[in-house]
Amino acid sequence: MEFLASIGRVVLGFLAHVGRLTAFTATAVSHTVRPPFFYRLTLKAMIEIGYYSLPVVGLTAIFSGMVLALQSYTGFARFSAEGAVATVVVLSMTRELGPVLAGLMVAGRIGASMAAEIGTMRVTEQIDALVTLSTNPFKYLVAPRLIAGTLMLPFLVGVADIIGVFGGYIVGVYKLGFNPSSYISRTWEYLEPLDVISGLTKAAVFGFLISLMGCYNGYYSKGGAQGVGKATTNSVVSAAILILIFNYIITALYFGK
Amino acid sequence: MSHMSTPVEPKIKLADVHKAFGPKVVLDGIDLAVQPGESVVIIGGSGTGKSVTLKCILGLLRPEQGSVTVDGQDVVAMGGRAREAMLRKFGMLFQGGALFDSMTVWENVAFGLIQGRGMKRAEAREIAIDKLAQVGLAASAGDLMPVELSGGMQKRVALARAIASSPEIIFFDEPTTGLDPIMADVINDLIVQCVKNVGATALSITHDMASARKIADRIAMLYKGRLIWIGSPKDIDHSGNEFVDQFIHGRAEGPIKMELRA
Ligand SMILES: Nc1ncnc2c1ncn2[C@@H]1O[C@H](COP(=O)(O)OP(=O)(O)OP(=O)(O)O)[C@@H](O)[C@H]1O
Ligand SMILES: [Mg+2]
């Protein structure tokens, strides 16, 4: 009986958690479309996410593109398909690696800082103070971050796609000896709009999830510095897992016939 | 309790309010009516639930049982817009200050005016500087960040923020804790002025008996989740209640036992 009871407790705890997250998400989303809007805060969050993440996303993208070129070249050489390198690089970057790697990097950078900031505001009663000053914390803290995350991740992934392809080009041309113009034409040859569109869709979803996890974990953090630390870790881990799950779901929706 | 017989509707009314955190019962049936323009002070030992009482009235915590009404409206069940409108009547000084650490001091003080009431920044800044002067802070302090201030200065900024929008109802959670005696008295005068001159209703918490005597129309003592004594400050010295006697004289011996381990 003890055993069953403990299973029951875990299940109930999980369901309570899911319920709370669902309610949080619904409230947060409803506040992104209802006025008043906090334009300045949204712009600030967009700059924080979009602009200040450029270095880390760019660096990730260029090395991913480079290693893709190198790996596919040596791998495909086994069945004399080296010519496919440019195509492999551009398809992998736009469809998979761009959104997933950028998402994971931004989850570490932005999700964590959102959880820490909102969590600190929670444990120091700044969120309570907001409420008593007639300002809805969902509107003031959560909505701007959700909007910024959803809009800026596609931008970052667009940049990552370009930089990643460029990384592949560098390795392809300067190390593997491809002809520059044929590498570029091979890059375009099999690329379809849907490859890019699916990647950008993923990016938007990931951006939303990163902000949601950052805000949610911060909002419900409790118990001082330790609680904020836990919220920060949880926001990164849960965002990363959700990114991988939704990556599969979106891929299946677009391409899984 | 002479106020209870007047026909005026109380500004704030708590009836049989219960609040527990898990198994820990904090409020165990609180009854309190605060009349318009009255200043009530809650005293009581540390951890007895004074701050929790204020938070239940503001809707930051939800009592499991009992009703809380403000101007006759039930606030426990109130949601969204109605609550925002209700909270516009309030100013709250949090025990820990709860200043927004990402904003300058004047922006903190002006926050309710700018966000809550849509006032122009320049105009709100004027008011903020004026409120800062009332709590003894120079205009130059307005451009600092909260972390650059001392603890007592932060408390005074939080006080300025609480009264910035000239609210009808003001809650002060330990307004003079951490201030020097002279500044504490300046703040006492400011609170009295808010109530007497501006006509606000005030509910304060303090451990400072001198302050309580000065600002209170009535003093209520919270002990073990209930208000065990309510009366005027002039009666508190001969309340005939041994708990109150022990508390106001700060004696370790008496019916109130501190939960210490030997
Ligand atoms: N959010 C919370 N979660 C769990 N327990 C809480 C919470 N807030 C308060 N408590 C508990 O409720 C009790 C009363 O807390 P409260 O802050 O009201 O005390 P207080 O009377 O204001 O004391 P002090 O004079 O020290 O400020 C405390 O024992 C505290 O542990
Ligand atoms: Mg307290």
Side-chain angles (χ1 to χ4, degrees), chain B residues 21 24 26 45-52 95 174 207:
Chain B
F21 295 99
K24 185 185 168 92
V26 177
S46 185
T48 47
K50 303 182 296 298
S51 301
V52 167
Q95 188 169 2
E174 307 200 7
H207 292 294

Side-chain angles (χ1 to χ4, degrees), chain A residues 1-9:
Chain A
M1 280 320 278
E2 249 324 285
F3 175 67
L4 285 180
S6 71
I7 290 183
R9 255 196 304 279

Side-chain angles (χ1 to χ4, degrees), chain A residues 38 125-126 131 134-135 140, chain B residues 55 84 99 101 103 115:
Chain A
F38 290 98
E125 299 186 322
Q126 291 179 51
V131 174
S134 295
T135 304
Y140 189 80
Chain B
K55 287 180 187 171
E84 256 171 57
L99 294 176
D101 45 27
M103 290 173 213
Q115 305 297 352

Side-chain angles (χ1 to χ4, degrees), chain B residues 223-245:
Chain B
Y223 179 67
K224 293 223 164 142
R226 289 169 174 274
L227 292 176
I228 55 163
W229 187 84
I230 304 180
S232 118
K234 62 184 186 330
D235 299 330
I236 200 164
D237 291 310
H238 30 86
S239 62
N241 184 313
E242 47 185 343
F243 295 90
V244 175
D245 272 342

Side-chain angles (χ1 to χ4, degrees), chain A:
Chain A
M1 280 320 278
E2 249 324 285
F3 175 67
L4 285 180
S6 71
I7 290 183
R9 255 196 304 279
V10 170
V11 171
L12 283 181
F14 178 76
L15 288 180
H17 199 71
V18 169
R20 196 173 70 170
L21 175 58
T22 311
F24 183 91
T25 311
T27 313
V29 170
S30 79
H31 280 287
T32 61
V33 294
R34 273 190 288 161
F37 302 109
F38 290 98
Y39 299 103
R40 276 196 15 193
L41 293 172
T42 311
L43 191 68
K44 202 171 140 219
M46 285 173 71
I47 292 170
E48 180 61 38
I49 299 172
Y51 181 71
Y52 289 107
S53 301
L54 277 174
V56 53
V57 169
L59 217 58
T60 315
I62 195 154
F63 281 103
S64 312
M66 286 165 69
V67 82
L68 260 179
L70 205 54
Q71 284 279 23
S72 51
Y73 181 81
T74 51
F76 289 7
R78 291 177 195 165
F79 42 93
S80 328
E82 306 96 315
V85 166
T87 311
V88 169
V89 168
V90 72
L91 290 190
S92 316
M93 278 314 294
T94 54
R95 286 168 71 149
E96 274 300 318
L97 292 180
V100 171
L101 291 179
L104 293 176
M105 295 312 283
V106 174
R109 217 186 85 78
I110 298 297
S113 87
M114 281 182 190
E117 189 179 352
I118 296 180
T120 305
M121 291 186 74
R122 164 61 72 200
V123 300
T124 56
E125 299 186 322
Q126 291 179 51
I127 293 185
D128 289 343
L130 268 185
V131 174
T132 61
L133 292 164
S134 295
T135 304
N136 190 315
F138 278 92
K139 215 158 223 106
Y140 189 80
L141 295 175
V142 181
R145 287 171 169 81
L146 281 184
I147 294 172
T150 313
L151 294 181
M152 290 325 279
L153 249 267
F155 162 74
L156 282 172
V157 167
V159 173
D161 289 350
I162 293 166
I163 294 180
V165 168
F166 177 68
Y169 172 87
I170 303 237
V171 169
V173 170
Y174 295 101
K175 188 170 165 64
L176 307 173
F178 282 95
N179 174 300
S181 64
S182 75
Y183 187 96
I184 292 175
S185 69
R186 278 300 197 110
T187 297
W188 288 111
E189 200 174 346
Y190 296 104
L191 184 67
E192 288 175 18
L194 197 60
D195 299 324
V196 178
I197 291 170
S198 70
L200 297 183
T201 310
K202 287 179 178 182
V205 173
F206 296 170
F208 176 84
L209 291 171
I210 292 166
S211 295
L212 183 70
M213 286 300 113
C215 294
Y216 172 77
N217 284 291
Y219 193 82
Y220 285 108
S221 66
K222 51 172 170 259
Q226 202 179 9
V228 175
K230 213 173 118 195
T232 310
T233 312
N234 284 347
S235 77
V236 177
V237 173
S238 55
I241 292 173
L242 285 174
I243 284 174
L244 296 175
I245 294 174
F246 275 83
N247 181 45
Y248 180 82
I249 296 175
I250 297 168
T251 308
L253 287 178
Y254 267 106
F255 304 110
K257 303 189 175 61

